[in-house]
Amino acid sequence: MRKLMVDRSESVLGIVVRSRFYRSAFVALLIAGIGTSAATPQLTLFLVRELGTPLPVAGLYYVTNLAAPFAGFLVGRLSDRSPDRLLWFRVCALIGTAGWLAMAAANSVWLPFVISAAALSVAGGSMAQLFAACRDELSRNPTKADNRVVAAIRMAFTVGWMVGPVVGSWFGGVFGLRALLVATACCVFAQMIPFGRQRVERYHDVSLPPRPGRRRLDHMKPLLVFTAVCVLAMTGDTIKFGYLPIYMADELHVSDAMRGAVIGIQPLLELLLLPIVARLADRFGSMWVMTGGAALGMAGNLAYATGSSVVALFVGQALTAGLWACVGALGVSIAQRLYPEGVGTASGIFLSAIPVSSAIGGTIGGLGVAAIGLPHVFFIPAALTALATLTFTHLSTHPHPNGPG
């Protein structure tokens, strides 16, 4: 298939604005980010207040995130066999809409757990298939700023996650938690609207030989290793959201407003860093920049573990924002390049790393706080992120033939 080289002098903004698909993907991710982030922080409250779930049982809800890799792999494989990449994006969005509506109507403790594992894990594949479609478009119309194009589109989801929790807290307080879940279902459905009846034809690179059976699984190993290392790097985020506010309130006696400022600074800095990270990757190589991001994450966890002041926690948040900017701007692109014959599968598997790290981080946090207390529990994710940094360094010096530099 003929490739059309985009004018090298054209800005990333120009590329996104001129493309109907990129514009639609930006709006869709913004809507999805607002809807999902509005409900996610309120789910434990919903389980406890609306369904009478005991608090320890409610905490186990996030273990259902472990279903995400299986759902991501299945949806990705189906997407890689479909001629229209947006077909499975729409299927995932519809399943997600039904899942959130079922969650809003749940009246038994066990129902949200089943819904999350069976439906919401599949719904998460919608974002993966959007990024797979982005890779198809970039393969058909290559630029010298692919990382920056992906980062620009990813910024929409980050903005959504900045706005969503604020909107969700207000909406849930005014209209109730069940109404909030219905509104989330509406957002999940609405992410399809910007695309209208658009189709994105799956790109097939004829230079890649078919890899049936075991050879295909063997070729997937670099992707699986990279995803596993990203899980190690991201485990500290759940611990931070769960226990850093408690540490600030009980140990440092920080005001409510200051606690909100500390927690809220990370997504803002992440948003600002996304285009910078993408530009650095274009210059120095994606894997080397990911290595630097993991090192920043390690330093951020050490700042939490040793910090005895608000200033130290702000520094920790700034460093952690660097890690998440690298993951957001580069992670899915690296995964797709490590498994180019199945970018839908690669996107699904990589993006499942985030919910898996959330489940693992929650477990580590609960056990760690009981064993060594606050703030020393953050030494555990610091050690895991140090291991991730060393592994990324190895991957950078021994690159996969299809992988990023």
Side-chain angles (χ1 to χ4, degrees):
M1 184 175 295
R2 185 169 62 95
K3 294 184 178 181
L4 300 175
M5 180 63 73
V6 174
D7 182 1
R8 297 181 181 182
S9 65
E10 187 174 19
S11 68
V12 172
L13 180 61
I15 295 171
V16 173
V17 170
R18 290 174 188 273
S19 166
R20 181 187 175 194
F21 168 74
Y22 292 148
R23 294 197 310 270
S24 301
F26 185 94
V27 176
L29 285 175
L30 177 63
I31 295 171
I34 292 173
T36 305
S37 64
T40 299
Q42 308 295 326
L43 281 174
T44 303
L45 193 62
F46 170 75
L47 292 172
V48 173
R49 286 188 179 177
E50 298 291 332
L51 302 182
T53 309
L55 192 57
V57 176
L60 294 175
Y61 171 83
Y62 295 98
V63 177
T64 60
N65 288 337
L66 294 177
F70 303 100
F73 175 78
L74 176 61
V75 171
R77 289 297 296 272
L78 293 170
S79 173
D80 287 333
R81 297 172 181 175
S82 172
D84 176 18
R85 187 70 77 181
L86 290 182
L87 170 64
W88 284 96
F89 161 74
R90 293 184 172 101
V91 169
C92 290
L94 289 173
I95 292 174
T97 301
W100 284 110
L101 289 175
M103 188 80 76
N107 52 17
S108 299
V109 169
W110 58 271
L111 274 176
F113 292 83
V114 175
I115 293 166
S116 177
L120 300 188
S121 60
V122 176
S126 61
M127 180 176 175
Q129 297 319 305
L130 269 191
F131 281 115
C134 286
R135 177 52 52 194
D136 289 336
E137 287 293 293
L138 288 169
S139 296
R140 265 187 292 272
N141 303 289
T143 77
K144 296 204 70 175
D146 286 7
N147 288 320
R148 280 173 279 164
V149 171
V150 173
I153 296 170
R154 177 62 170 75
M155 288 174 72
F157 195 73
T158 303
V159 171
W161 271 85
M162 292 172 60
V163 174
V166 178
V167 174
S169 297
W170 169 80
F171 193 97
V174 174
F175 299 102
L177 295 175
R178 291 185 186 272
L180 173 62
L181 299 183
V182 172
T184 297
C186 294
C187 287
V188 172
F189 180 84
Q191 68 180 312
M192 296 186 290
I193 296 175
F195 292 99
R197 301 178 68 179
Q198 284 186 67
R199 290 170 53 91
V200 174
E201 182 181 352
R202 178 169 54 88
Y203 178 79
H204 177 63
D205 190 343
V206 295
S207 67
L208 294 173
R211 302 178 186 271
R214 188 172 182 82
R215 289 184 65 197
R216 182 186 294 272
L217 293 176
D218 289 343
H219 198 63
M220 198 181 292
K221 287 180 181 178
L223 166 66
L224 298 178
V225 170
F226 173 71
T227 303
V229 177
C230 287
V231 169
L232 291 179
M234 295 187 293
T235 51
D237 216 49
T238 303
I239 302 173
K240 178 191 70 179
F241 282 119
Y243 296 104
L244 196 62
I246 297 174
Y247 174 62
M248 288 190 286
D250 295 348
E251 302 292 333
L252 300 183
H253 307 292
V254 175
S255 67
D256 292 344
M258 186 58 70
R259 289 202 303 272
V262 170
I263 297 299
I265 194 67
Q266 180 190 319
L268 175 61
L269 292 176
E270 179 187 338
L271 179 67
L272 298 175
L273 287 172
L274 280 170
I276 298 174
V277 165
R279 185 173 289 276
L280 289 173
D282 286 340
R283 182 171 182 181
F284 299 107
S286 298
M287 195 64 79
W288 278 114
V289 177
M290 281 293 293
T291 304
L296 291 175
M298 176 188 66
N301 283 307
L302 288 175
Y304 301 143
T306 59
S308 57
S309 67
V310 172
V311 173
L313 301 184
F314 271 116
V315 171
Q317 285 286 75
L319 293 167
T320 304
L323 165 64
W324 280 91
C326 292
V327 171
L330 307 176
V332 71
S333 294
I334 294 175
Q336 290 167 343
R337 290 166 187 159
L338 289 173
Y339 192 58
E341 61 264 47
V343 296
T345 303
S347 302
I349 289 176
F350 172 75
L351 288 176
S352 70
I354 298 174
V356 169
S357 69
S358 175
I360 295 175
T363 303
I364 291 173
L367 297 175
V369 166
I372 59 178
L374 288 170
H376 299 137
V377 67
F378 289 101
F379 281 121
I380 300 175
L384 295 176
T385 314
L387 178 59
T389 304
L390 293 175
T391 308
F392 279 139
T393 301
H394 175 77
L395 295 176
S396 300
T397 54
H398 299 81
H400 184 268
N402 292 324

